[in-house]
Amino acid sequence: LVNRTISAPSCGAVTTGRGARVDPLSAETMGFWIRFIALMIDLVVVGVMQAVIAAILVPLAGILGIVPSYLISPLYFILFTGLKGQTPSKMATGVKIVNARENHPGIWRTLIRETIGKLVSGVFFLLGYLWASWEFRKRAWHDHIAGTYPILAPSRSTQDS
């Protein structure tokens, strides 16, 4: 599930689980299947949150009570990935999304990744998502569009030192 370490010219540095400082382009990449598993877990979590919110609001506001539940998904993915580089399932599976200069991509880059990027990734028979299964750095089209990289997340013990 975890792929090879790759080398590239030096950019911003992140800490790997082994404690060495490396740039995101040479960090251990995370492949298609582990990212797919993380996404499926996230979709279950978001679905449960949407159902709970709808169950509470629909009796109070009628059909308009569904509208806030649909805001959960974009907020969940944009805020978690933008601010932390990881959703809860990415934390559990060891996947982190970074850009070439920072440990996390930031809100604007993530907004582009999660909206325009994922639309483009999915529009051609999901080819943009599948791209990560054979691309050298395991980046899907939405990663290329937003300038993000899926890497092995640094361990907590390494981050604290």
Side-chain angles (χ1 to χ4, degrees), residues 40-108:
M40 293 300 107
I41 295 168
D42 279 331
L43 292 178
V44 169
V45 170
V46 168
V48 168
M49 291 171 28
Q50 287 176 322
V52 168
I53 290 172
I56 294 168
L57 295 180
V58 168
L60 300 173
I63 195 72
L64 291 177
I66 293 175
V67 173
S69 73
Y70 285 108
L71 298 175
I72 295 297
S73 183
L75 288 174
Y76 177 91
F77 286 102
I78 291 167
L79 292 177
F80 271 116
T81 305
L83 298 175
K84 292 284 197 183
Q86 298 175 291
T87 59
S89 69
K90 283 186 176 79
M91 292 175 201
T93 57
V95 177
K96 186 163 188 174
I97 305 299
V98 298
N99 67 20
R101 287 173 242 127
E102 299 178 27
N103 287 334
H104 56 80
I107 295 294
W108 292 112

Side-chain angles (χ1 to χ4, degrees), residues 1-144:
L1 294 177
V2 176
N3 294 299
R4 66 193 171 277
T5 300
I6 54 176
S7 298
S10 181
C11 293
V14 295
T15 306
T16 67
R18 293 191 260 328
R21 300 282 293 172
V22 297
D23 65 87
L25 300 178
S26 66
E28 221 168 329
T29 60
M30 299 303 282
F32 173 81
W33 287 111
I34 192 71
R35 293 172 70 189
F36 179 78
I37 291 166
L39 176 62
M40 293 300 107
I41 295 168
D42 279 331
L43 292 178
V44 169
V45 170
V46 168
V48 168
M49 291 171 28
Q50 287 176 322
V52 168
I53 290 172
I56 294 168
L57 295 180
V58 168
L60 300 173
I63 195 72
L64 291 177
I66 293 175
V67 173
S69 73
Y70 285 108
L71 298 175
I72 295 297
S73 183
L75 288 174
Y76 177 91
F77 286 102
I78 291 167
L79 292 177
F80 271 116
T81 305
L83 298 175
K84 292 284 197 183
Q86 298 175 291
T87 59
S89 69
K90 283 186 176 79
M91 292 175 201
T93 57
V95 177
K96 186 163 188 174
I97 305 299
V98 298
N99 67 20
R101 287 173 242 127
E102 299 178 27
N103 287 334
H104 56 80
I107 295 294
W108 292 112
R109 185 177 302 271
T110 303
L111 184 65
I112 292 167
R113 180 180 189 272
E114 297 295 326
T115 56
I116 297 167
K118 289 195 173 177
L119 176 69
V120 171
S121 283
V123 82
F124 297 106
F125 307 105
L126 303 177
L127 182 61
Y129 289 101
L130 296 172
W131 198 262
S133 64
W134 62 76
E135 199 259 0
F136 179 65
R137 291 189 181 116
K138 302 302 178 191
R139 296 170 72 201
W141 287 357
H142 52 273
D143 292 311
H144 284 279

